[in-house]
Amino acid sequence: MDGLQPDPGKGDVLIVDDTPNNLHLLSSMLEELGYEVRCASSGAMALMAVSTEYPDLILLDISMPDMNGYEVCQHLKENQATQEIPVIFLSALSETIDKVKAFQLGGVDYITKPFQIEEVLARIENQLALRRMQIKLQQAEAEALRALEQEKELNRLKSEFVSMVSHDFRSPLTTIQGFAELLRCSGQVPDLETVNHYVDKIDVAVEHLLCLLDEILLLGSIEAGKLQYQPMTIDLKSFCQELIETLQVSTNSSHQICFTCTGNSTQAEMDTLLLQQIFTNLLSNAIKYSPTAGQINLNLECSEMLAIVQIRDQGIGIPLENQPHLFDAFYRCHNVGQIKGTGLGLAVVKRCVEAHQGYITVESQEGMGTTFTVTLPRYAQLSDHSLA
Ligand code: ADP
């Protein structure tokens, strides 16, 4: 039953009896022994008390006016949330308790009045111990099921990963093999221009393989929880400016990256290695998927608690139907044409953003351009420092 936990104390017992003397006698005895006790003097009050908070056990008088104990028990057993609370019936010795009916309705035991304290205690203890054992078993079962599901999901991801990786590795390897073959088997010594052309093709394929390998290793270590979130105090404005400079040199791009910054202070506590992954991937995508010399905007906006970074390009855009899968590993949109890529960059970006407990959104229209917006808390989040 949801919400019922093994009680670290002696247990929470609900006593239901329309005779005040019985209620008083049982409750004071149980309270003295360390039980949490609640009392109800009618069937309706008992159901209300149960719905407010589930007891660990109910002592339920059978003969009560309006709603007798059997009826109360039936209500409890019909409700999924309360059906597993153990019910011990109470009946006067003078009454003939219908034992078969009591057990059929789901009662676990019965006690006859006048009470013998030791007997009452023994029966309560017995049922509470059984119930605790049952809860532990249910928890262990739920835990085992969860672990099994996780294992299944992991196996599914592994096979998917292997098939995607082998597919992505095969294509550049086939290119290298093809051009090497051409160099070897052309029958005559190829001229220098042809050799250079073939070697260039091989170079591009090798570069692609190396890039793929780097990103797979990075994603693998993130998935394995090995990359740590290590925030330090930085100035976001200079961080962005330096990153743009480095990127323009390394990509040798003719794109114009316009940087704007708003906010009183741009100090932040973030992990610079992860930030580098986020911005480098988003900016190099903006460059890669935009026409030569296209304009790219990087806007940084710092409020008191948040840093919002927008990277906008006027490139090929992202088809609407591809957008839901954008952050899946190896996913590439249908309009990439000949533009090379691994489909891993955005998966890495998303995990790095989440390590900062931030989020990333995208707005894009095919043929019109794309804007990625990254929202990050300005100050380090202490709750979870790993990327697992
Ligand atoms: P890739 O190495 O293929 O660029 P990413 O994971 O970085 O991998 O991006 C996934 C896909 O998202 C890309 O293949 C591309 O289809 C699309 N994409 C990402 N950024 C942009 C962008 N700025 N403009 C258009 N499409 C983009």
Side-chain angles (χ1 to χ4, degrees):
M1 190 184 74
D2 285 341
L4 189 61
Q5 298 292 322
D7 198 308
K10 294 210 74 167
D12 174 4
V13 178
L14 175 69
I15 310 170
V16 189
D17 200 318
D18 62 327
T19 314
N21 273 351
N22 287 340
L23 281 181
H24 180 70
L25 176 77
L26 278 175
S27 63
S28 45
M29 173 191 86
L30 292 176
E31 266 167 355
E32 217 166 279
L33 290 166
Y35 290 91
E36 292 275 324
V37 180
R38 286 184 291 152
C39 295
S41 55
S42 70
M45 279 177 68
L47 292 178
M48 202 152 30
V50 172
S51 68
T52 321
E53 196 180 340
Y54 304 136
D56 297 326
L57 183 134
I58 302 175
L59 294 177
L60 182 57
D61 186 23
I62 292 177
S63 88
M64 292 185 291
D66 298 331
M67 193 190 292
N68 67 29
Y70 295 133
E71 289 170 283
V72 176
C73 187
Q74 194 162 9
H75 276 292
L76 292 171
K77 299 301 162 185
E78 278 167 4
N79 180 346
Q80 214 188 350
T82 55
Q83 63 188 189
E84 290 184 37
I85 302 173
V87 173
I88 299 180
F89 283 113
L90 306 174
S91 84
L93 198 57
S94 54
E95 299 160 357
T96 44
I97 173 171
D98 186 343
K99 293 172 195 162
V100 176
K101 187 172 179 183
F103 284 117
Q104 270 175 349
L105 283 173
V108 290
D109 205 349
Y110 63 90
I111 299 170
T112 46
K113 309 179 218 177
F115 305 119
Q116 286 201 332
I117 303 299
E118 287 79 11
E119 183 197 346
V120 174
L121 278 181
R123 289 186 190 274
I124 290 179
E125 271 305 316
N126 217 359
Q127 291 307 326
L128 282 177
L130 275 174
R131 179 70 190 123
R132 286 191 184 115
M133 217 149 22
Q134 190 188 15
I135 290 170
K136 274 195 186 145
L137 268 175
Q138 282 171 348
Q139 284 174 340
E141 193 184 4
E143 197 56 45
L145 275 177
R146 237 192 326 268
L148 194 70
E149 282 307 313
Q150 261 176 4
E151 183 69 21
K152 271 193 202 159
E153 176 64 7
L154 209 65
N155 278 336
R156 190 188 65 74
L157 285 174
K158 267 189 212 158
S159 342
E160 203 177 283
F161 186 77
V162 169
S163 83
M164 281 188 290
V165 168
S166 23
H167 173 267
D168 277 52
F169 269 83
R170 191 173 292 278
S171 140
L173 283 173
T174 312
T175 307
I176 294 169
Q177 194 180 34
F179 283 103
E181 199 81 348
L182 277 176
L183 280 172
R184 196 176 325 118
C185 312
S186 51
Q188 58 193 51
V189 179
D191 59 72
L192 194 60
E193 197 182 335
T194 312
V195 171
N196 280 339
H197 176 64
Y198 291 173
V199 171
D200 280 351
K201 294 280 186 196
I202 291 174
D203 263 351
V204 171
V206 169
E207 189 57 39
H208 180 70
L209 276 176
L210 288 175
C211 190
L212 190 61
L213 196 61
D214 280 347
E215 287 192 323
I216 287 172
L217 289 176
L218 179 66
L219 197 65
S221 53
I222 291 176
E223 298 294 355
K226 286 191 186 142
L227 255 195
Q228 291 297 307
Y229 164 65
Q230 290 170 327
M232 60 173 79
T233 305
I234 54 162
D235 179 45
L236 265 182
K237 186 176 173 187
S238 5
F239 181 87
C240 290
Q241 283 167 330
E242 279 165 30
L243 200 105
I244 292 170
E245 259 173 52
T246 316
L247 201 72
Q248 273 185 320
V249 173
S250 67
T251 57
N252 199 15
S253 104
S254 57
H255 292 78
Q256 202 195 341
I257 303 181
C258 301
F259 177 59
T260 57
C261 172
T262 52
N264 289 337
S265 157
T266 53
Q267 267 220 339
E269 252 173 45
M270 293 181 187
D271 183 311
T272 49
L273 284 180
L274 303 186
L275 273 193
Q276 218 158 351
Q277 284 295 338
I278 298 172
F279 296 147
T280 310
N281 270 304
L282 293 177
L283 280 172
S284 46
N285 275 352
I287 294 173
K288 193 162 68 167
Y289 297 108
S290 295
T292 318
Q295 180 176 315
I296 290 158
N297 291 83
L298 173 66
N299 301 330
L300 167 66
E301 184 191 327
C302 285
S303 66
E304 196 185 343
M305 301 304 288
L306 297 176
I308 301 170
V309 181
Q310 281 198 319
I311 293 166
R312 179 177 307 126
D313 66 58
Q314 296 162 350
I316 61 170
I318 297 168
L320 200 60
E321 67 275 19
N322 294 161
Q323 291 182 18
H325 307 285
L326 208 56
F327 298 97
D328 295 352
F330 296 102
Y331 189 80
R332 305 204 70 215
C333 302
H334 298 146
N335 61 337
V336 290
Q338 299 299 309
I339 306 173
K340 294 248 173 307
T342 60
L344 288 172
L346 288 183
V348 169
V349 167
K350 185 157 187 281
R351 282 159 181 80
C352 295
V353 169
E354 284 168 354
H356 285 87
Q357 301 201 10
Y359 56 92
I360 179 167
T361 54
V362 63
E363 270 174 76
S364 184
Q365 213 180 331
E366 202 173 350
M368 303 294 286
T370 300
T371 303
F372 281 97
T373 306
V374 177
T375 305
L376 302 172
R378 263 179 76 187
Y379 301 100
Q381 305 296 296
L382 297 173
S383 53
D384 181 7
H385 278 198
S386 80
L387 293 182

